[in-house]
Amino acid sequence: MPDKITYYVIVGGSNTVHNPRGLVRRLEHEDGPSDEALRDDFSWKSTPVIVEWERGDFDDELVEVSHEQSSKIIEYFRHQWGPSGQPLDS
Amino acid sequence: MRFLDLPDEPEHPDRASVDGADRSTPRRRELPDPDERGRTYEAMRAHASAETAREPSDATGESQHDQRADGAGQRGYRNEVPCFMEMWAKHERRWPETPRHAADPTSPDRDGGQRQGPDRQAETAEAIGRVREVEPELSANAQAIEQENKHGGWLDGFKDRLKRKDRLEEKVAEKLEAEPRMTAAAALREVADAIRFTYCFQPEDYTRGYYDMKERFESRGHEMYYSKNWWADPEYKGVNTRWVTAEGQRFEVQFHTPDSFHAKHHVTHLAYERIRDTSTSRAERRELHEFQREVSSWIQAPDGAADIPDYRKEGF
């Protein structure tokens, strides 16, 4: 169980915090952090994106969002991608 | 041992290099904050092997490492390099390399098998082909700028200016995992460091050299859309900039001193690769960060470098 979770949206190009490209999170454990990205099947998977961003090695920007905002963003993605990763209008 | 490679001493430090061979001239420099250095080193020692713990100390309690100094009694980054190598060798013994997911971009685990396949491979190949097409002209630009600059800057690591195909594919795979609606072609268009040039300056020339190079790239019609100053960062030193040509090809230009380039290229590179590898344990990752902090704590920040502003253009 992580002590703390920090969420970040991925923005870049024409994508802002209102229509982000993706959602990642850092889980703080007693022995250090681990990072995960939200996949289009709405599962979380390990990602190097946050580490790369911290080193200036990621092409897009990350913007920290609150837990409440992250829930809304997941709902936004659910609408965009559909419940299992397919767009609702496809 | 590859990490023991030190850049050769330049025969003509004020003459720019065309082939990008490693060059550096260690100069006397101020020491970084000794408290920070000591804390980092002690933390690193605490995680090192029992062999490290048995290093002899003299009556003052200082270890051999603490007593290391150059001929003038001045300790500096170059003096410490053998110690960094020893630390890294111990790290590798403590944490032997294991097969890692990140090294295999074709692993089905990388994207659940959803985006692998002929279409993506074709997209990737086409995009890489475009990069290869525009690279010679960009490289010629970068070499001309090297020759013209008035501050003794030289291209370093020039032979590595093109990112390897497998690393590019890996980077795209990682991006697509985190940005599920991105296409491979779009992701590749946005990779800034598919082409990377690195300029080194002696510390006393660094800040003026940065601005001079920036103007020279701009005068050739390239636009800087990102600049990040890492001189205050505890684990990495330098300024990384991203550019776009009038035709839309992105590329990266890094600005280093001989020491910051050496640290990045010859000392901490594998540590960073392990840090960004998602299969690395949290315990090892913590030690890797400590190693990077220790190495970086010895690198002198050039005068004025702290004032080079960060920048990011909207829409990029």
Side-chain angles (χ1 to χ4, degrees), chain B residues 5 11 41 45 57 64 85 93 148 157 180 219 242 279 305:
Chain B
D5 292 343
E11 292 176 8
Y41 179 66
R45 279 175 62 100
S57 297
Q64 290 175 332
M85 300 307 147
R93 285 199 294 275
E148 292 165 8
S219 73
R242 297 178 191 156
S279 67

Side-chain angles (χ1 to χ4, degrees), chain B residues 217-264:
Chain B
F217 273 99
E218 286 169 343
S219 73
R220 282 173 164 76
H222 308 315
E223 182 184 16
M224 188 176 82
Y225 65 90
Y226 169 94
S227 181
K228 175 73 178 170
N229 186 335
W230 294 92
W231 282 102
D233 189 84
E235 297 187 38
Y236 176 74
K237 304 293 181 184
V239 173
N240 294 1
T241 63
R242 297 178 191 156
W243 296 76
V244 59
T245 67
E247 294 76 31
Q249 177 62 49
R250 299 184 184 199
F251 62 101
E252 184 175 270
V253 182
Q254 294 193 358
F255 296 90
H256 284 280
T257 61
D259 287 354
S260 70
F261 181 73
H262 183 267
K264 174 209 160 181

Side-chain angles (χ1 to χ4, degrees), chain B residues 172-186:
Chain B
V172 169
E174 289 164 2
K175 191 173 167 80
L176 295 180
E177 272 189 357
E179 303 178 15
R181 282 299 171 268
M182 176 76 69
T183 65

Side-chain angles (χ1 to χ4, degrees), chain B residues 25-29 154 200-208 231 256-259 300-305:
Chain B
T25 304
R27 303 272 178 98
R28 284 193 63 184
R29 63 201 64 234
W154 66 92
C200 285
F201 291 90
Q202 296 297 347
E204 60 271 27
D205 300 318
Y206 182 89
T207 303
R208 280 172 299 162
W231 282 102
H256 284 280
T257 61
D259 287 354
Q300 178 201 18
D303 285 344

